Amino acid sequence: MKKIIFSIACFLLNFSLSAQYHYPASKTVDSSDTYWDVTVKDPYRWIENIKDSTVLNWFKAQADYTNAQLARIPGQDLLKNEFKAIDKIRAAAISPVAKAGGKYFYRKRLPGEQVAKLYYREGEKGKEVLLFDPQQYVAGKTFDYEPGVSDNGSRIAMNLSEAGSELGDLRILDVATQQFLADVIPHASGGFAGGSNTDILYGQYKSYDTHDPENNLNLPNKLHVVGAPVATDILLASAAKYPELKFDAADYPNVSVFKNAPWMILGKYTVENNLTLFYAPLSELKKERINWKPLTTKADEVRQFFVKGNDLYLLTVKGNPRFKIIKTSFTAPDLDNATTIAEGDETWKISSVSQVKDYLLINFSKNELVLHPKVYAFASGNLQEAGVPLKGNILLGALSEDDNEALVINTGWSTPHNFYTYQVAGKKLGNGPFHLTYNGAYPHQSDIAYEEVEVPSHDGVPVPLSIVYNKTLLKKNGTNGSLLLGYGAYGINAYLPAFPANYLPLINRGFVLAFAHIRGGGEKGNDWYLAGKKTTKPNTWKDFNACADWLVKQQYTSSERLACTGGSAGGILIGRAITERPGLYKVAIPKVGCLNTLRLEFSPNGPVNIPEFGTVKDSAEFKALLEMDAYQHTQKGVRYPAQLITTGFNDPRVESYIPAKFAANMQASNASAHPVLLYVDYKAGHFGGSTLDEQFTQRAREFGFILWQCGISGFQPEN
């Protein structure tokens, strides 16, 4: 009898706790697909009809409900004030763009300013000139922009889109007059051809409609001459124009032209890392048809290319998963007998490469956590130490191919990053126009400490884990809150060591910040990437869960105070981490996440992602997609962690209905008392807010949710 009474009491308690969240009604409709004799049910398929009024009303109801719940969390204004105070510590937030014609171009945002504006200086010490203010382009609106500088710095190709719309127009800004020219290329993006001030190479989408499933298919690559009617632009490449090159509908054709080189390259681009490339003489650029010749196939495993006159330098993983750079010639390209000029080894992998006038700048790394640059001289063929006289992690990057001045980034977990200029030939360090200065130390900056460890995963493979915390607040008795971050896709090195200024309001409340460098990323080289792709994708979330387990067992935190987050492709990670180990986490924030991978290829940006995740048309890849699908792994009656699931309604990369379907299913399935909220940002695409206030509000919302669910005082709603 006592056992029966206890069971009834537990049932009533769970019912009472769960009932406090009265989510907007989400109907289910019988829907299913059968792939390879496996029937997959999809009861929320109706949400994919994104333009239907019923669906739009459902999104609105979810957004209103979530906003009301989040508004109950106190302390968010306090967090915003802390973000503002942190922002004031930098004299300016600066992001270098390019150097051209003796001018340095950069974005700069002063403390308190809402957006970064585009500036330039004539020489290092020249007068600063404001070129473009994205809040003054159209009265009452804010624009996102990507600038591309012409060869002599006289013009800027401005890829403009209204904030949150993602797709916009390509326009040309005259630097001398600071006025836009008459040219307007609709729903397009591109930049100036190498060595040119008049020729713009661009790709063009079908329309501005991010929800159109055909918007990203069969795209053309074109050439526009400044001042000419757009109707006369030259079609350089497309599947229709060159059927013999066998472009797929999802391929993005793109032509590259190089300064001081008589050649051009045409590439097929998707998320596939191994490039298929063709080449032709530059003299054929404006001819009716170009005689494209094959240069590389996927089997060559080429990831990047650099051109110097007739010489071609290729970054490849063929024969070395830690990367190598090989050299051949356009006059007689022979990749099988190319010369190796630099390569990684068991300790150091090649992390990134860029090019200045007389050198290749080659950054080597240990797990992307210890960074070390070298330079290769074109003339002598010598590979040597860069010789940058700075301590800590150092990265070199190119600003221009006109000279040998490089950009230096000095970075680390416990010290704020800084920019310098560096004369590669003379080994001379300079402050340059990008150098950042600080008005004082960040809050508790001297108390910020970090550890680099390797955690054994489910199969014994060691996974790098970076741990950052305030050493005066770390107790290691399980009472500290913790936020674990991960990504693990595309071979991307997602988390380079960088001072976590944005996370100080968490760290200085005793939170441990941890970055899991999991398989699927590129931290340990190409093998590390392939070990978390398609059929091996489960390693990605199993690595992540192993890191979470380790943090709990070592008492950096406990499951009752452990939050996790990841965005975009990192949504696969977070979705499957919590559906496989729901009791391991207290909070999960999958941001604009790929949470329904079985339906990804049917979305506008899905076909281009097939090389990374797979297709249901292949039996093995279908099984892999099903395995990584968090929506399909959500089970009725399981006690899941609290979740704040986000989407940008104009997102062209992960359609809004993908996280929305997961949220609807999770709300109906969750048996715990923890909230499952779908946040819909109607003013955003894939990357969230454009203005400072929008970013601070978004961050305060997420941090407030974490602090609330982890039981931190000052963030608990009254009722």
Side-chain angles (χ1 to χ4, degrees):
M1 177 62 71
K2 289 182 179 180
K3 183 177 181 181
I4 294 174
I5 293 173
F6 178 76
S7 298
I8 293 173
C10 287
F11 171 80
L12 292 175
L13 176 62
N14 287 338
F15 178 82
S16 174
L17 291 171
S18 300
Q20 66 182 301
Y21 297 106
H22 302 286
Y23 304 112
S26 300
K27 66 180 180 180
T28 58
V29 177
D30 288 340
S31 178
S32 65
D33 298 294
T34 300
Y35 304 108
W36 307 99
D37 297 326
V38 177
T39 298
V40 181
K41 294 183 179 181
D42 192 355
Y44 297 99
R45 175 74 63 83
W46 61 273
I47 297 176
E48 294 185 15
N49 191 5
I50 200 73
K51 297 181 180 180
D52 180 77
S53 60
T54 302
V55 175
L56 293 174
N57 290 337
W58 179 86
F59 265 97
K60 182 66 165 55
Q62 287 282 341
D64 290 345
Y65 182 81
T66 294
N67 290 338
Q69 293 298 320
L70 294 176
R72 298 175 55 237
I73 306 172
Q76 293 181 66
D77 288 340
L78 175 62
L79 289 172
K80 291 178 193 177
N81 289 334
E82 291 177 16
F83 297 146
K84 291 176 182 177
I86 290 169
D87 186 58
K88 291 179 181 178
I89 291 171
R90 284 185 294 192
I94 295 178
S95 177
V97 172
K99 180 183 178 184
K103 302 180 184 71
Y104 293 87
F105 295 87
Y106 51 95
R107 302 171 191 249
K108 185 178 81 169
R109 184 183 59 75
L110 296 174
E113 286 188 333
Q114 289 296 306
V115 293
K117 304 170 186 177
L118 183 64
Y119 295 84
Y120 81 91
R121 288 182 189 271
E122 191 80 47
E124 283 194 12
K125 305 302 180 183
K127 179 183 177 182
E128 183 176 76
V129 179
L130 173 62
L131 272 176
F132 180 71
D133 183 339
Q135 291 191 308
Q136 299 300 317
Y137 176 59
V138 175
K141 295 184 177 181
T142 299
F143 275 73
D144 295 325
Y145 67 98
E146 289 296 331
V149 184
S150 70
D151 180 62
N152 64 7
S154 63
R155 291 168 172 164
I156 311 288
M158 296 290 286
N159 298 279
L160 296 164
S161 59
E162 187 174 345
S165 66
E166 290 275 343
L167 292 179
D169 299 331
L170 179 56
R171 298 205 62 183
I172 296 96
L173 179 65
D174 183 88
V175 172
T177 65
Q178 301 169 37
Q179 299 295 315
F180 282 97
L181 304 182
D183 312 57
V184 179
I185 307 174
H187 39 85
S189 62
F192 283 95
S196 179
N197 302 298
T198 58
D199 294 350
I200 290 180
L201 307 174
Y202 68 94
Q204 190 170 39
Y205 296 88
K206 177 183 172 184
S207 71
Y208 301 102
D209 186 357
T210 60
H211 300 300
D212 182 351
E214 296 185 357
N215 201 44
N216 298 8
L217 300 180
N218 296 304
L219 300 184
N221 192 239
K222 298 180 179 181
L223 185 149
H224 173 74
V225 178
V226 176
V230 173
T232 65
D233 288 357
I234 300 171
L235 176 61
L236 296 178
S238 70
K241 184 169 184 177
Y242 293 103
E244 68 276 14
L245 301 184
K246 298 180 180 179
F247 280 91
D248 291 332
D251 290 336
Y252 290 69
N254 187 73
V255 174
S256 298
V257 171
F258 313 95
K259 184 173 184 177
N260 301 322
W263 305 94
M264 57 184 175
I265 291 177
L266 167 63
K268 293 182 179 181
Y269 291 90
T270 61
V271 299
E272 170 63 59
N273 285 337
N274 298 322
L275 299 176
T276 299
L277 303 174
F278 308 90
Y279 74 108
L282 181 59
S283 58
E284 297 184 15
L285 178 63
K286 297 182 181 179
K287 290 185 177 180
E288 176 58 30
R289 286 191 66 80
I290 299 171
N291 181 28
W292 294 110
K293 295 180 181 180
L295 183 59
T296 72
T297 67
K298 291 180 183 179
D300 294 311
E301 298 183 276
V302 168
R303 302 296 175 82
Q304 206 173 354
F305 51 82
F306 304 90
V307 174
K308 181 69 173 177
N310 288 320
D311 293 330
L312 174 65
Y313 298 85
L314 301 169
L315 179 67
T316 177
V317 293
K318 189 172 184 178
N320 187 340
R322 310 281 285 177
F323 293 88
K324 63 180 179 180
I325 302 172
I326 59 175
K327 176 185 177 182
T328 187
S329 173
F330 276 107
T331 57
D334 183 357
L335 274 63
D336 291 333
N337 295 293
T339 302
T340 297
I341 66 162
E343 62 182 322
D345 56 31
E346 290 185 0
T347 303
W348 296 94
K349 68 159 229 180
I350 294 178
S351 176
S352 62
V353 187
S354 58
Q355 179 180 354
V356 292
K357 183 179 180 181
D358 297 318
Y359 299 89
L360 286 179
L361 313 177
I362 308 171
N363 294 304
F364 288 81
S365 82
K366 294 179 181 179
N367 298 344
E368 295 298 327
L369 299 173
V370 180
L371 307 166
H372 179 69
K374 294 185 179 182
V375 297
Y376 170 84
F378 292 125
S380 67
N382 291 331
L383 180 67
Q384 59 195 33
E385 297 292 327
V388 180
L390 291 171
K391 295 181 180 180
N393 286 315
I394 299 166
L395 291 100
L396 285 182
L399 286 170
S400 169
E401 292 183 32
D402 290 336
D403 57 34
N404 292 317
E405 185 176 58
L407 176 71
V408 173
I409 305 174
N410 194 199
T411 182
W413 292 121
S414 58
T415 54
H417 78 274
N418 220 336
F419 293 119
Y420 301 86
T421 52
Y422 186 64
Q423 298 295 337
V424 178
K427 296 188 176 182
K428 182 180 179 182
L429 190 70
N431 287 344
F434 311 126
H435 189 68
L436 298 180
T437 56
Y438 297 87
N439 297 322
Y442 286 110
H444 304 285
Q445 180 178 319
S446 61
D447 296 326
I448 304 302
Y450 69 94
E451 299 173 34
E452 302 287 7
V453 300
E454 290 204 335
V455 175
S457 191
H458 68 104
D459 53 1
V461 171
V463 179
L465 178 67
S466 301
I467 309 169
V468 186
Y469 52 84
N470 183 320
K471 61 188 178 185
T472 68
L473 300 176
L474 181 66
K475 299 176 182 177
K476 289 197 72 172
N477 61 4
T479 60
N480 286 88
S482 183
L483 175 61
L484 179 63
L485 300 93
Y487 186 70
Y490 302 111
I492 290 175
N493 310 312
Y495 301 109
L496 293 175
F499 186 77
N502 290 340
Y503 293 92
L504 287 177
L506 285 181
I507 293 173
N508 289 333
R509 284 181 170 83
F511 267 67
V512 174
L513 196 63
F515 301 89
H517 309 287
I518 50 186
R519 280 174 280 188
E523 288 83 353
K524 290 191 174 186
N526 195 54
D527 288 347
W528 195 250
Y529 164 49
L530 296 179
K533 178 181 180 181
K534 291 187 178 178
T535 57
T536 60
K537 191 65 179 172
N539 286 328
T540 299
W541 62 82
K542 291 179 186 295
D543 287 355
F544 192 77
N545 284 343
C547 290
D549 263 329
W550 188 89
L551 288 169
V552 171
K553 289 176 182 177
Q554 298 299 318
Q555 293 193 293
Y556 285 88
T557 189
S558 67
S559 291
E560 279 301 302
R561 291 203 165 184
L562 176 57
C564 63
T565 189
S568 193
I572 296 174
L573 163 69
I574 300 303
R576 287 299 284 117
I578 65 171
T579 50
E580 187 163 287
R581 295 286 305 279
L584 185 54
Y585 304 93
K586 183 62 181 291
V587 186
I589 304 182
K591 299 194 283 190
V592 295
C594 299
L595 295 157
N596 184 198
T597 48
L598 273 180
R599 296 295 296 167
L600 182 62
E601 68 183 281
F602 304 101
S603 68
N605 200 45
V608 76
N609 277 285
I610 287 174
E612 176 70 18
F613 304 118
T615 173
V616 296
K617 297 176 183 177
D618 179 281
S619 60
E621 292 182 3
F622 156 69
K623 292 177 182 177
L625 286 166
L626 179 58
E627 181 60 27
M628 67 181 83
D629 193 310
Y631 169 75
Q632 290 294 337
H633 279 82
T634 302
Q635 298 179 11
K636 191 81 171 177
V638 174
R639 298 171 65 86
Y640 289 107
Q643 295 162 65
L644 181 60
I645 303 156
T646 76
T647 182
F649 197 72
N650 304 312
D651 192 339
R653 292 168 177 80
V654 180
E655 264 283 0
S656 296
Y657 60 70
I658 290 176
K661 288 172 64 181
F662 174 77
N665 197 19
M666 184 59 76
Q667 286 175 352
S669 301
N670 183 28
S672 77
H674 308 314
V676 176
L677 304 177
L678 175 64
Y679 180 79
V680 185
D681 192 337
Y682 286 98
K683 297 197 300 180
H686 195 61
F687 300 106
S690 296
T691 67
L692 189 68
D693 283 348
E694 289 170 348
Q695 293 163 15
F696 285 174
T697 298
Q698 177 180 322
R699 203 179 305 151
R701 180 190 308 122
E702 293 170 5
F703 287 9
F705 187 79
I706 292 170
L707 293 164
W708 166 33
Q709 290 300 311
C710 288
I712 306 304
S713 176
F715 295 88
Q716 305 305 307
E718 289 186 4
N719 297 319

